[in-house]
């Protein structure tokens, strides 16, 4: 599996340090409040699990599943809701947790759908921000790393459902997805 990675973009240590730092900032920003983390399946499972360990205010976790990629390497431009939340988010402080914001399509969709449910607040936290690919008007409130337009996998991110288990963010060898 690691032979399919052409370069490690962000090491496990760098990720863990950043996640800790983000958890501290979020804890300060939400002081005195309870935060409802929304883990956007499946990519953000690892990030959500690590991030919540560093949040010191009370946390509730829920999951939502959407898909905008199918099995392609580029966004299809269509978001599908695959699994809705279990919690009622009315009057709750919602923090959407994403692994990556790319075109911004998923984020724009999620903000719109969740805003209609009248939360007390809604913010977005992403580990990776592929800013140069943004085409939709959607930006995260917190991000860990701005990354270049490369096909990245690991730490929750997949190619064809594989590589999510890698503890680092790596650039996938183009041979893998061009074959
Ligand atoms: C990825 C990622 C974001 C979205 C970002 O999810 O987790 O949700 O794409 O892309 P965008 O900004 O262009 O919308 P994906 O649909 O690949 O599903 P997954 O999390 O299950 O891998």
């Amino acid at each position: 599996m690691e032979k399919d990675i052409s370069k490690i973009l962000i090491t496990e240590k760098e990720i863990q340090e950043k996640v800790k730092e983000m958890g501290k900032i979020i804890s300060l920003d939400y002081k005195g409040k309870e935060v409802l983390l929304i883990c956007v399946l499946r990519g953000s499972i690892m990030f959500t699990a690590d991030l919540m360990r560093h949040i010191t205010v009370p946390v509730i976790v829920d999951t939502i599943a959407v898909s905008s990629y199918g099995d392609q390497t580029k966004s299809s431009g269509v978001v599908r809701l695959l699994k809705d939340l279990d919690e009622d988010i009315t009057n709750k402080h919602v923090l959407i947790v994403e692994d990556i914001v790319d075109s911004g399509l998923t984020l724009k969709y999620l903000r719109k759908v969740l805003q209609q449910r009248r939360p007390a607040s809604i913010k977005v936290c992403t580990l990776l921000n592929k800013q140069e690919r943004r085409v939709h008007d959607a930006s995260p409130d917190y991000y860990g790393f701005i990354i270049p337009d490369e096909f990245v996998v690991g730490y929750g991110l997949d190619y064809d459902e594989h590589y999510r288990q890698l503890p680092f963010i790596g650039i996938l060898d183009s041979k893998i997805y061009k074959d």
Side-chain angles (χ1 to χ4, degrees):
M1 187 169 48
E2 304 205 4
K3 69 176 182 354
D4 301 342
I5 305 299
S6 60
K7 185 186 168 192
I8 294 181
L9 192 64
I10 310 169
T11 65
E12 181 176 4
K13 186 165 178 277
E14 287 168 335
I15 293 172
Q16 293 305 329
E17 281 171 4
K18 182 66 77 176
V19 173
K20 190 173 176 184
E21 187 186 311
M22 293 176 85
K24 267 191 192 159
I25 294 168
I26 290 166
S27 302
L28 283 174
D29 289 357
Y30 285 87
K31 199 166 180 235
K33 296 172 183 157
E34 180 177 82
V35 58
L36 200 165
L37 294 184
I38 297 184
C39 171
V40 185
L41 298 172
R42 301 174 202 172
S44 80
I45 49 175
M46 246 197 231
F47 180 40
T48 305
D50 283 344
L51 182 68
M52 63 192 287
R53 278 177 252 229
H54 297 292
I55 297 180
T56 52
V57 298
V59 158
I60 292 177
V61 190
D62 201 354
T63 59
I64 195 166
V66 292
S67 179
S68 66
Y69 275 31
D71 56 2
Q72 305 295 311
T73 55
K74 299 281 178 193
S75 174
S76 63
V78 177
V79 180
R80 285 182 300 146
L81 180 62
L82 305 178
K83 180 218 164 274
D84 205 344
L85 297 172
D86 295 312
E87 295 289 321
D88 177 3
I89 65 168
T90 313
N91 296 325
K92 303 273 175 64
H93 293 286
V94 167
L95 182 59
I96 299 170
V97 184
E98 270 285 21
D99 51 337
I100 185 166
V101 179
D102 189 332
S103 71
L105 179 71
T106 307
L107 190 50
K108 192 176 177 190
Y109 170 86
L110 284 173
R111 271 197 197 270
K112 187 175 156 216
V113 166
L114 299 181
Q115 196 64 59
Q116 289 165 354
R117 302 180 190 181
R118 302 190 181 282
S121 68
I122 182 161
K123 282 190 179 184
V124 178
C125 172
T126 184
L127 183 69
L128 306 177
N129 187 355
K130 216 186 238 188
Q131 215 165 33
E132 66 180 272
R133 292 242 318 150
R134 199 69 33 80
V135 290
H136 296 277
D137 182 20
S139 52
D141 300 279
Y142 306 95
Y143 64 83
F145 303 93
I146 290 180
I147 61 161
D149 186 14
E150 300 279 0
F151 197 90
V152 288
V153 293
Y155 199 70
L157 288 96
D158 74 309
Y159 169 63
D160 206 11
E161 294 307 324
H162 291 89
Y163 309 103
R164 292 194 199 271
Q165 80 229 57
L166 295 173
F168 55 80
I169 302 286
I171 297 176
L172 188 64
D173 195 319
S174 59
K175 285 200 299 287
I176 306 297
Y177 57 87
K178 283 186 178 155
D179 280 353

